[in-house]
Amino acid sequence: MKVTIKNWNAIAQWRWDIGKEFDETDDEDLCGICRVAYEGCCPRCKMPGDDCPVLWGECGHVYHMHCIMQWIEQQPPNKQNCPMDRKPWITAERKTANTATQQTQAVQS
Amino acid sequence: MASPGVQALVEAKWQSAFKTLNREEPGISGLLKTSQARQLASDFLRPRALSEPRRKYRADVMANAFRLLYQTKQLHGVLENFLEEMRQQRHLITEDVEAYMHEYEVRPYAFVLVTEVHETADSQIIAQLVHRLVEWFNAWRPTTETDGHPGPLESLGHVAIDSYTDAFQTHIYSVLPPSFSSGFKDLIASTLPVSDPAPPPDRALWDAFHALGLIERYESLISSVCYELVEKHVVETCAGQWSERMLQDLRDWMQNKVLPWMCLPYAPGARTMEEAGASLHGVGPRFDFHVCKTLCDLRTSEIFDIIVDYPDSIDALYDLKECLYRVDQRSNLVQSLRKANKKRLLHPGADTKDILAQYVSTIRSLRIVDPPGVLLYKVADPIRRYLRDRADTIRCIVSSLVGDNENGESLIDDEPPLPYLTKDAEDYSDPHWEPEPIDAGPDFRANKPGDVISTLVSIYDTKDVFVKELQVLLAQRLLAVTDGNYEKERRNIEILKVRFGEQALQVCEVMLRDMTDSRRIDQHVQSQKPSILHPVIISRHFWPSLQSGSFVMPQKLRSIQEEYAREFTAFKPDKRLVWLSHMGSVKLELELQDRTIEAEVTPVAAAIIELFSEKDVWTAGELMAQMQRLDKEHLRKGLNVWVDLGVLKEEGADKYRLLEVAEESSKKEGTVSAPKPKELPAVQTTQQQQAEQMRVFWNYIEGMLTNLGSLPLDRIQNMLKFARGYDRSIEQLGMFMEAARREGLVVVRDGMWRLNK
């Protein structure tokens, strides 16, 4: 028997790639500032996703972009720290995610 | 002996009496003449049997005699005498009446077979009796009329005739037996203009009625005959006829047929319609009222079915409205409708959908009959209370909101949306302000939101439940759409936004955007690397919880998914895809040795058949092991799809074999096209979601009951309140415990719950 798939309407959810493996039974990952899930949106936004993205810090903490920007603005210039660990906030380049994806791809192939 | 004074007095009296009688005649000749005249008059007036021949009297002699009696003031005595004689002779009439009535009472039995004939025959006897009585009446009448000129007796005024008529009528009324009334009624009924064209009225008969004073005496009887006619006609012509205005027709009928007849009893002398109109002034409105009342009663008894027929029965409702203006039977209508609703609608056998449809029709119908909505308010209360108790009411309302019901029409199409704002205070500067209707209850508010949807939504105190249900429904509908046409859903949401507010439907907005975004992404991905996979990418948290639990797809399918995910991540570098493998649909083609099969199936079924392409025989256990985390139910369903299509065969003990060559029984044409999977996307209903949550709390309850033995419900509730996220009411907990009891997990005795061991 030969099975040929003609068309497949599937359903998927998107997640922010926050550098850790997706886990079926994961607890909600919440933004440390607004306590809303990353995949949700910050209190000022209405649309999740690209309209309300998240930012990764060098320190490994992740916040909604709007939340962390507001936080940074409120701080004096010399004290623009990550609210979690008080290290100076530096927005990370998206390396971790890509390498992670590449690694998983490598494993699969 | 009397004193001389008295003697003188008597003598003077005597003299004067004698003088009156004798007048100026010599001797006693005057006296003799007077007595002769009196004799003559008495003889003339004497009531005798009709059979007895009447003597001829010379008119001038009679006139002289009466004049003489008048002059001697004897007329009064003569009249008294006449009435006395009449009293003695009246047995003649009595006998006559008895004879006729006897015939009438006996007759029916002879004619029992032919009802129609016997009725008219009966009433003919009564008519004969009436004519006979008129004969008696005329024969005995004390009259000296000659050729229409009033004689000397008439010149005395109506005293003589009136007292005679009184005496005569009193007598006949006293001798007429009770059965006469019914006979008379039949007789009147037989004169009704029922046939078309109506026969000319029998004037003689009506004159006779008038002469005997039967009209006045039996007035109520006559009107009841007429009422019955009206009732019969209304029921005959209007019952079940809801698609036309009937009231005007009825009034025309009254005008053209009944009114001419009514002139006979009520306006006997009238020559023209104008004269009759004056006489009928008091009677006409009474009958018009009766027409309205009868129609109103009829429509009230039919109201439930009228509402069922709603848009077609609109004219009947207008009729009813007009009748209700005239006849105050609003409370009857309410009671009748409430009763009908209770009996025919609000019982477990009725579908919630049907109840809602009837409720909506009721709203619209009663809005026609009674625009302020008092009737509706009174009728709706039990329906609303009943609906509130039904579990699936919200779902039904929401699906009718978005046009998900069978006939595909949605409520929001019909009406312009009104803002979901209610005016609480009355606007006193409104020139069209009207007071609340008199029968409005104390908690009736005229300014309630007027349209159907708000009324439905207001069954519940909060609109949140609707939004939640709407979300579930929208999810189901969106996921079922495959051609990318979401316009209808978008439009619905826009309209509902006006009603529920922008904020409440924000979630739906996100869902819609997910759909369009998915399309855009898919277009991009396809342009990079064409794929047969077209996923809908959703934002979790904004969709109702979908059936979770993913199983391991066979390698071939998984690689398709992974390839797509890679392209996606290349397009949106920060995002990853998580597949909900259970959901969606797969269209595939199977090439078997002797046939090809095209089918659209669930991904689970696709995965199963993919596994069968590796090896022909699998057991359920092996399949489960291959796919992991797949629950039995889904596996069974997926297998059954193929068994139904004749691709797989169950060979006992959960063993399945691929049929490369179709078996005889299932072999049909080369290509069997499978029916599309009909079931809606597996979005969990709100009920399922609640049950899911409750399952968590069951662990707590179980622990509690294990440690503490038995507990009353309120203790359990109080303890559960300590648990995080517990927001159930004690009623809900009770329902849950009841469900647990049915499953045999717990038992209850005297309100104490404990585990079933």
Side-chain angles (χ1 to χ4, degrees):
Chain A
M1 181 183 65
K2 195 169 155 241
V3 178
T4 324
I5 296 170
K6 293 247 179 105
N7 193 358
W8 184 358
N9 292 314
I11 290 159
Q13 292 172 339
W14 61 263
R15 302 282 173 98
W16 292 115
D17 188 352
I18 49 172
K20 65 175 186 181
E21 271 309 299
F22 168 69
D23 178 12
E24 177 76 38
T25 56
D26 64 341
D27 280 335
E28 299 282 326
D29 272 326
L30 305 179
C31 164
I33 298 175
C34 66
R35 310 298 294 162
V36 173
Y38 292 132
E39 283 82 11
C41 50
C42 75
R44 276 158 296 168
C45 285
K46 283 181 173 167
M47 290 292 176
D50 295 345
D51 290 349
C52 185
V54 291
L55 276 193
W56 286 258
E58 289 274 304
C59 55
H61 291 119
V62 186
Y63 306 100
H64 286 125
M65 184 180 81
H66 300 132
C67 297
I68 188 69
M69 292 304 246
Q70 196 190 14
W71 167 261
I72 297 288
E73 273 166 31
Q74 284 167 355
Q75 301 302 311
N78 58 342
K79 273 192 162 179
Q80 294 177 335
N81 298 335
C82 167
M84 290 287 202
D85 55 15
R86 302 285 162 188
K87 288 183 194 161
W89 175 262
I90 304 159
T91 307
E93 295 298 317
R94 295 299 299 122
K95 276 183 210 148
T96 46
N98 288 340
T99 45
T101 329
Q102 275 153 21
Q103 275 163 8
T104 48
Q105 278 169 14
V107 170
Q108 280 163 8
S109 56
Chain B
M1 278 318 285
S3 67
V6 173
Q7 251 176 24
L9 202 68
V10 170
E11 198 170 316
K13 279 237 167 184
W14 165 260
Q15 282 299 331
S16 94
F18 177 75
K19 216 166 150 193
T20 317
L21 290 176
N22 201 27
R23 284 160 303 145
E24 302 303 316
E25 302 283 329
I28 58 161
S29 62
L31 200 59
L32 288 174
K33 269 187 193 160
T34 310
S35 93
Q36 210 174 6
R38 189 171 172 148
Q39 197 88 56
L40 191 67
S42 299
D43 189 49
F44 170 74
L45 290 176
R46 186 167 64 84
R48 58 198 94 206
L50 286 174
S51 50
E52 203 174 309
R54 250 189 119 89
R55 269 175 56 195
K56 285 277 176 201
Y57 294 97
R58 279 178 52 201
D60 56 332
V61 176
M62 282 309 298
N64 280 335
F66 275 104
R67 198 170 307 120
L68 191 64
L69 288 173
Y70 176 65
Q71 277 162 4
T72 53
K73 303 191 177 138
Q74 290 293 303
L75 265 182
H76 193 66
V78 170
L79 214 55
E80 293 258 294
N81 201 21
F82 162 68
L83 292 178
E84 182 53 44
E85 277 189 71
M86 200 172 117
R87 210 162 293 138
Q88 284 162 12
Q89 289 290 81
R90 67 186 182 190
H91 63 91
L92 292 172
I93 301 182
T94 313
E95 281 158 16
D96 239 12
V97 169
E98 274 167 2
Y100 276 103
M101 287 315 290
H102 179 69
E103 194 184 351
Y104 170 73
E105 279 162 19
V106 169
R107 193 104 167 218
Y109 302 104
F111 286 85
V112 120
L113 286 177
V114 199
T115 338
E116 205 55 36
V117 170
H118 111 239
E119 268 177 19
T120 51
D122 278 359
S123 52
Q124 282 317 307
I125 297 174
I126 299 292
Q128 283 163 16
L129 172 61
V130 169
H131 283 302
R132 182 78 175 170
L133 285 172
V134 170
E135 260 183 77
W136 281 108
F137 180 71
N138 287 334
W140 287 8
R141 200 149 70 121
T143 177
T144 50
E145 255 179 18
T146 40
D147 311 327
H149 297 292
L153 200 55
E154 277 71 29
S155 62
L156 299 177
H158 291 291
V159 184
I161 300 293
D162 283 355
S163 46
Y164 163 72
T165 314
D166 267 359
F168 188 83
Q169 287 181 357
T170 315
H171 176 60
I172 55 172
Y173 295 157
S174 70
V175 295
L176 285 175
S179 59
F180 178 78
S181 326
S182 66
F184 185 67
K185 200 169 155 186
D186 285 345
L187 178 60
I188 299 280
S190 75
T191 66
L192 287 175
V194 277
S195 57
D196 197 39
D202 183 359
R203 290 213 172 264
L205 186 66
W206 286 100
D207 289 343
F209 291 159
H210 281 291
L212 294 177
L214 291 173
I215 301 282
E216 286 82 24
R217 185 170 168 82
Y218 289 105
E219 230 240 85
S220 59
L221 213 82
I222 295 174
S223 26
S224 79
V225 166
C226 201
Y227 288 154
E228 276 165 24
L229 172 74
V230 168
E231 278 157 26
K232 193 161 155 252
H233 181 79
V234 168
V235 170
E236 268 172 9
T237 54
C238 301
Q241 299 288 318
W242 304 323
S243 53
E244 278 173 75
R245 301 290 302 265
M246 301 307 289
L247 193 59
Q248 196 51 50
D249 288 357
L250 288 176
R251 285 187 166 147
D252 290 347
W253 172 78
M254 282 297 283
Q255 190 74 31
N256 298 332
K257 300 216 88 175
V258 183
L259 205 65
W261 179 84
M262 271 163 46
C263 288
L264 296 171
Y266 293 110
R271 298 277 171 277
T272 61
M273 274 324 251
E274 283 74 42
E275 277 178 59
S279 312
L280 291 175
H281 191 70
V283 187
R286 223 170 71 202
F287 283 95
D288 185 52
F289 178 86
H290 197 74
V291 169
C292 289
K293 183 178 178 314
T294 315
L295 187 62
C296 190
D297 286 346
L298 179 70
R299 291 293 182 242
T300 301
S301 68
E302 297 172 328
I303 185 74
F304 188 87
D305 295 298
I306 292 180
I307 292 176
V308 169
D309 265 20
Y310 162 67
D312 299 331
S313 58
I314 211 159
D315 283 320
L317 292 165
Y318 281 118
D319 270 353
L320 184 59
K321 180 185 181 181
E322 211 176 326
C323 289
L324 281 177
Y325 274 134
R326 190 110 169 66
V327 192
D328 188 29
Q329 295 197 325
R330 291 157 63 95
S331 56
N332 273 13
L333 182 71
V334 169
Q335 272 166 16
S336 148
L337 187 53
R338 279 178 77 134
K339 223 160 109 191
N341 278 340
K342 195 169 170 221
K343 193 173 152 214
R344 296 178 57 180
L345 194 64
L346 308 178
H347 56 76
D351 225 352
T352 309
K353 224 166 49 214
D354 298 337
I355 299 179
L356 269 178
Q358 178 73 357
Y359 181 38
V360 170
S361 295
T362 308
I363 293 172
R364 293 183 173 153
S365 307
L366 293 187
R367 182 111 348 116
I368 292 175
V369 176
D370 170 51
V374 180
L375 294 185
L376 177 62
Y377 180 79
K378 292 185 173 176
V379 172
D381 203 42
I383 307 181
R384 292 165 69 89
R385 228 176 309 127
Y386 186 83
L387 281 174
R388 217 171 296 152
D389 290 344
R390 282 226 170 176
D392 55 344
T393 304
I394 302 175
R395 196 169 328 133
C396 281
I397 294 176
V398 172
S399 57
S400 54
L401 281 185
V402 297
D404 203 30
N405 43 9
E406 279 151 20
N407 39 16
E409 68 181 44
S410 96
L411 283 175
I412 46 184
D413 287 343
D414 311 351
E415 290 183 49
L418 298 172
Y420 188 78
L421 290 170
T422 56
K423 277 194 294 175
D424 276 330
E426 289 198 49
D427 180 7
Y428 292 107
S429 58
D430 181 8
H432 302 295
W433 182 87
E434 277 182 26
E436 279 172 3
I438 196 155
D439 50 350
D443 45 354
F444 172 79
R445 276 195 307 134
N447 285 341
K448 261 207 264 230
D451 62 323
V452 171
I453 300 178
S454 324
T455 317
L456 288 181
V457 171
S458 67
I459 292 178
Y460 293 87
D461 294 331
T462 160
K463 57 188 182 184
D464 292 352
V465 284
F466 287 96
V467 174
K468 230 176 236 165
E469 197 65 48
L470 188 66
Q471 200 186 340
V472 170
L473 198 84
L474 183 71
Q476 284 177 344
R477 288 162 66 88
L478 286 178
L479 295 183
V481 170
T482 48
D483 58 356
N485 186 4
Y486 312 114
E487 274 320 298
K488 192 167 169 242
E489 313 302 330
R490 183 168 292 286
R491 207 182 119 255
N492 281 341
I493 294 297
E494 288 299 327
I495 296 171
L496 290 172
K497 254 191 207 166
V498 179
R499 207 166 284 286
F500 292 112
E502 189 106 8
Q503 200 60 47
L505 292 188
Q506 181 57 38
V507 170
C508 299
E509 196 65 16
V510 173
M511 289 162 74
L512 279 168
R513 210 199 52 166
D514 278 347
M515 297 307 283
T516 44
D517 277 1
S518 308
R519 252 185 114 63
R520 222 183 49 241
I521 292 168
D522 189 49
Q523 270 162 13
H524 176 84
V525 171
Q526 298 290 348
S527 70
Q528 296 295 311
K529 193 169 189 185
S531 168
I532 46 148
L533 184 58
H534 302 281
V536 170
I537 300 163
I538 63 173
S539 309
R540 67 184 187 135
H541 306 302
F542 292 87
W543 287 67
S545 53
L546 305 169
Q547 268 181 12
S548 54
S550 67
F551 60 96
V552 177
M553 279 280 187
Q555 183 58 40
K556 188 172 140 196
L557 296 172
R558 199 165 62 220
S559 62
I560 297 173
Q561 286 180 333
E562 278 161 2
E563 205 169 289
Y564 196 98
R566 233 176 353 257
E567 283 304 321
F568 175 78
T569 311
F571 183 44
K572 302 261 176 197
D574 294 342
K575 291 180 183 169
R576 285 183 304 168
L577 284 185
V578 175
W579 297 97
L580 300 172
S581 305
H582 273 291
M583 307 187 54
S585 64
V586 183
K587 202 169 167 186
L588 36 73
E589 193 181 74
L590 307 182
E591 280 174 47
L592 292 148
Q593 276 175 14
D594 61 338
R595 65 202 193 279
T596 52
I597 289 175
E598 241 181 73
E600 192 168 344
V601 293
T602 59
V604 177
I608 291 170
I609 204 69
E610 178 62 30
L611 288 174
F612 272 94
S613 73
E614 291 167 18
K615 141 175 149 184
D616 280 358
V617 183
W618 290 82
T619 63
E622 283 171 336
L623 286 169
M624 293 271 273
Q626 238 347 278
M627 314 221 297
Q628 297 172 19
R629 287 192 301 245
L630 179 67
D631 61 73
K632 249 196 175 123
E633 194 193 339
H634 282 96
L635 179 73
R636 166 97 31 211
K637 265 189 197 160
L639 282 166
N640 282 344
V641 170
W642 298 116
V643 172
D644 288 347
L645 286 172
V647 177
L648 298 183
K649 190 176 179 233
E650 191 171 1
E651 289 186 326
D654 278 348
K655 212 165 144 196
Y656 292 86
R657 169 185 291 283
L658 177 72
L659 298 171
E660 274 293 353
V661 178
E663 285 198 336
E664 279 311 309
S665 57
S666 61
K667 196 172 183 174
K668 286 172 200 150
E669 293 96 55
T671 312
V672 185
S673 58
K676 268 178 80 173
K678 270 282 185 285
E679 49 187 307
L680 283 166
V683 180
Q684 286 186 346
T685 63
T686 36
Q687 275 175 343
Q688 281 171 325
Q689 288 175 29
Q690 280 181 359
E692 193 77 29
Q693 287 169 16
M694 208 61 207
R695 203 152 300 151
V696 176
F697 298 118
W698 167 247
N699 292 331
Y700 296 132
I701 298 171
E702 200 174 14
M704 247 181 254
L705 295 177
T706 316
N707 292 331
L708 298 170
S710 58
L711 288 173
L713 197 61
D714 52 348
R715 271 292 292 287
I716 301 177
Q717 170 79 357
N718 284 335
M719 290 176 88
L720 279 176
K721 275 183 189 158
F722 293 116
R724 199 173 133 246
Y726 182 79
D727 58 349
R728 298 303 146 83
S729 67
I730 191 156
E731 286 82 16
Q732 284 171 316
L733 177 69
M735 263 146 67
F736 174 74
M737 293 302 284
E738 189 57 34
R741 188 186 61 78
R742 278 198 295 275
E743 285 181 31
L745 297 169
V746 288
V747 289
V748 61
R749 177 182 285 169
D750 302 334
M752 300 293 275
W753 297 84
R754 60 186 171 80
L755 290 177
N756 191 13
K757 281 168 197 150

